[in-house]
Amino acid sequence: MHIAEGYLPPVHAAAWTVVAAPFVVHGARAMVRQVREDPDSKLLLGAAGAFTFVLSALKIPSVTGSSSHPTGTGLGTVLFRPPIMAVLGTIVLLFQALLLAHGGLTTLGANAFSMAIAGPWIGYGVYRLTRRFGLSIAVFLAAMLADLSTYCVTSVQLALAFPDPVSGVVGSIAKFGGIFAITQIPLAVAEGLLTVLVVRLLVRNSPKELLRLGVLRRRDETTTPATPQESRP
Amino acid sequence: MSRLDTLAATGPWRLRHPGEKALLGLGLLGCAVGLPPWPGALVVGIVALALLLGPARVGARQVLELAAGPAAFITIGSLPLLVAVGGPGVVRWAPEGLPRAAELAARSLAATLCLLLFAATTPLADILPRLTRLGVPAAVTEVAALMYRLLFGLLDTAATTREAQAMRLGFVSWRATMRSAAGQASTVFVRAFDRARRLDEGLALRGYDGNLTVDVGSPPVSVRFLAATTAVLTIVIAASLWLRAVTT
């Protein structure tokens, strides 16, 4: 769920745009450098971005029985790295604003910071820290925490804009977090599980792409456990 | 195509210069967030809705359906302003927050209508190539254009895969639903990179040198439209400030 158009006061909207800008500019420079060195990668980046958009449109069941959409930031950051995700995620948010009216143009900076910067960087940090325990564990934790941290950052953004009259920003974080972050925990777990299943299928179906993206190392190809479908007779 | 893009591609303002529509839609958006919520949000909201239903010829039902998602966020997001945390009782109903919540909801709804006005009249394909003039690197706009080119085919792939899975009882249980959703994602991943590879091969055969420059049609800018837009924006600002002055 993105912050809707016009929801943030103008000063906050501008401030979050300023905060997000260095990350997006850094990612754009990385993208320009990559495209200059390898013009063919432009097409792969386009495919990666389109995949990220479609991923966020898939329906996943929550463990509570309802359904929602994954943020896709965990899988995106594992596959394409945080700097590239900062740009691809911002483009996806722009597309979602102009094609679906989800999010907005004035809130693009705030949404980009939570969904294209904070979520991917936290997810990638967790992935790197836990990669030694196995691909599935690292991917699960990265996807779950990228999703959850995205919504925690959104709650903080809303709390800063609308502090509680009695307890200030801290109380407001509790209020917005109660609505937008606590309720997200089952969905974050579901996204973590889904991402593990996706990566297992990709290991089986697209090992060359994963090797090229650096997700898979040569020895992983032979040591990754079989998926449930693979173990069937 | 998305509903908004379809409306933009088939609407009466399809051939107007994107700059004209940006001045109107984004100018009103600036008014919605910049003017005092009362009465600015009301005035901007009424004008944006009138333009959507009138000259832009977007149906009332379509406007309602498109605004439903943002309206849900705005409603849920306004509720915390009606609750106070801390002090005796820890959590209590705070009716004094009602005016602030109402202002927030009104401003956000008005801004959403302005966004709809711009998005429902301006196809994304007209916007992306022009982002380079705003300082966005050409490589980034070209990647965005490729994403736009690929994503509708991939959304169709995901929908077709979902349909096929549904016919094979792919959503009868939580486990089956998760497995089916993962299958959709991995199918889309494989198709996305396959299409990119085929596009690369096709371009290479046509002498691709790394530039994906496309011919962007540039319709003439209508001075009358710009003058009318400036008049509308001026009236909106003046009316909002006058109404505020007489009601406070």
Side-chain angles (χ1 to χ4, degrees), chain A residues 1-10 28 31-32 35 39-51 53-55 57-65 75 79-80 87-88 91-92 94-95 97-106 154 158 161-168 171-172 174-176 179-180 189-191 193-195 197-198 201-202 205-206 209-210 213 228-229 232, chain B residues 2-5 26 29 33-34 66 69-70 72-74 76-87 92 94 96 100 104 107-109 111-112 115-116 118-120 122 124 127-128 131 137-140 142-148 150-152 154-155 158 162 174-175 177-179 181-190 192-194 196-197 199-201 203 208-212:
Chain A
M1 191 175 273
H2 313 318
I3 301 175
E5 183 66 275
Y7 191 84
L8 290 178
M31 187 179 276
V32 169
V35 166
D40 291 351
S41 67
K42 196 184 288 178
L43 299 156
L44 294 176
L45 287 166
F51 171 69
F53 184 98
V54 178
L55 194 65
L58 295 180
K59 269 189 182 174
I60 56 166
S62 165
V63 288
T64 56
L75 182 57
L79 293 175
F80 313 120
V87 184
L88 293 182
I91 297 171
V92 166
L94 178 70
F95 280 18
L98 294 175
L99 294 175
L100 308 169
H102 290 174
L105 299 178
T106 61
T154 301
L158 296 174
F162 307 104
D164 185 83
V166 179
S167 50
S172 197
K175 285 193 295 186
F176 283 104
I179 291 177
F180 292 113
V189 173
E191 178 161 354
L193 292 171
L194 174 77
T195 309
L197 291 175
V198 174
L201 285 173
L202 294 181
N205 297 330
S206 308
E209 278 80 4
L210 294 193
L213 291 166
Q229 290 97 325
R232 284 177 189 162
Chain B
S2 81
R3 193 182 304 173
L4 272 172
D5 223 27
L26 305 185
L29 177 58
V33 295
L66 288 165
F73 176 92
I74 294 163
I76 295 168
S78 301
L79 293 178
L81 273 64
L82 302 175
V83 175
V85 177
R92 68 171 176 84
E96 66 272 17
R100 205 167 161 223
L104 170 64
R107 183 182 69 201
S108 200
L109 275 174
T112 300
L115 175 70
L116 286 179
F118 178 62
T122 316
L124 198 50
I127 300 169
L128 293 176
L131 290 178
V140 176
E142 287 178 4
V143 167
L146 278 165
M147 285 168 62
Y148 179 70
L150 289 167
L151 72 88
F152 294 111
L154 295 176
L155 283 169
R162 186 178 171 79
W174 190 84
R175 281 174 69 96
T177 306
M178 286 295 280
R179 205 163 46 231
Q184 289 167 45
S186 63
T187 303
V188 169
F189 181 88
V190 172
F193 281 84
D194 182 53
R197 184 185 53 74
L199 198 58
D200 186 30
E201 286 173 2
L203 285 166
Y208 174 55
D209 62 353
N211 290 313
L212 288 171

